[in-house]
Amino acid sequence: MSVLGISGSMRKNGNTALLVTTILDRVREAGIETEFLTLAGMDIRPCTGCEACKSAKWCATEDDDWAGVAEKMIGCEVLVLGAPTYYYDINGQTKNLIDRTYSLYHDRRLAGRKAVSVAVCADRGCERTLETIEGFLNTHEFSYLGYVCGKGYAPGDVRKDERAMERARQVADTIIRYLRPED
Ligand SMILES: Cc1cc2nc3c(=O)[nH]c(=O)nc-3n(C[C@H](O)[C@H](O)[C@H](O)COP(=O)(O)O)c2cc1C
């Protein structure tokens, strides 16, 4: 699959999901395959720091939803990863997903893909949310196609952030140009 969008929010139809799907919708309209995953309702437990992944090259915690998301990440060309801001940083569910990808780092299983980061906050803290996502992307040797930072509190509020909605469309166009350079 070409473009995988993940919303790390526990709100299924929250602002993060809205921005990520805005990007995916435009990319799909250009005829490119996309898939959207929400971490809402998923059971993604924290990294235990057991280090078993150093030899197994896969996370030892196997009985939750992490592996399904990890397999989709391995299979994508472009990852759009979004998270809401909680206390000036990403929320716990997204952090659990990221921490567990340590198991994919030893063999650089995610290296060489492109990525877009998406962050939402009500007022302040988006910058660190983006930095945390970028830390994950840089560590795994993704290259960066851009970011979107949106403001909103209640689900759907980010629609009113016209700058963010426009930025989401611009980032989508960057993804399209990358995947379809001949167009
Ligand atoms: C536990 C918690 C912590 C939050 N911390 C912040 C914060 O530090 N800064 C901020 O501007 N908004 C904060 N918010 C507001 C959310 O970032 C905001 O509602 C955002 O739109 C949620 O995105 P979502 O709809 O995708 O879940 C917090 C919300 C919750 C529930």
Side-chain angles (χ1 to χ4, degrees), residues 9 11 14-16 84-88 120-124 152-153:
S9 172
R11 289 179 180 169
N15 293 312
T16 309
T85 300
Y86 281 10
Y87 292 96
Y88 285 44
V120 179
C121 69
D123 182 34
R124 292 192 65 197
Y153 176 64

Side-chain angles (χ1 to χ4, degrees), residues 43-97:
D43 175 22
I44 301 182
R45 277 181 248 143
C47 170
T48 63
C50 72
E51 303 274 354
C53 62
K54 273 195 170 163
S55 49
K57 317 293 187 196
W58 195 251
C59 184
T61 304
E62 282 187 320
D63 53 348
D64 69 357
D65 296 318
W66 177 83
V69 181
E71 273 157 18
K72 302 265 184 194
M73 285 200 283
I74 290 166
C76 80
E77 281 180 80
V78 178
L79 175 67
V80 179
L81 179 58
T85 300
Y86 281 10
Y87 292 96
Y88 285 44
D89 210 326
I90 64 172
N91 66 324
Q93 183 83 327
T94 311
K95 190 66 164 61
N96 284 356
L97 172 75

Side-chain angles (χ1 to χ4, degrees), residues 4 6 16 19-20 23 78-84 90 94 98 114-120 126-138 142-150 164 167-168 171 175:
L4 173 67
I6 298 176
T16 309
L19 279 181
V20 171
I23 296 168
V78 178
L79 175 67
V80 179
L81 179 58
I90 64 172
T94 311
I98 287 176
K114 305 284 174 187
V116 167
S117 54
V118 175
V120 179
C126 246
E127 298 77 12
R128 195 184 297 156
T129 299
L130 287 174
E131 278 173 22
T132 299
I133 296 173
E134 286 168 27
F136 156 71
L137 297 173
N138 287 336
F142 282 82
S143 12
Y144 209 42
L145 292 181
Y147 70 92
V148 182
C149 189
R167 181 104 181 142
V171 157
I175 295 172

Side-chain angles (χ1 to χ4, degrees), residues 146-172:
Y147 70 92
V148 182
C149 189
K151 289 251 166 91
Y153 176 64
D157 274 356
V158 80
R159 259 188 238 282
K160 290 179 246 158
D161 184 345
E162 285 172 20
R163 204 185 50 83
M165 296 303 286
E166 176 55 24
R167 181 104 181 142
R169 289 187 284 271
Q170 286 170 359
V171 157

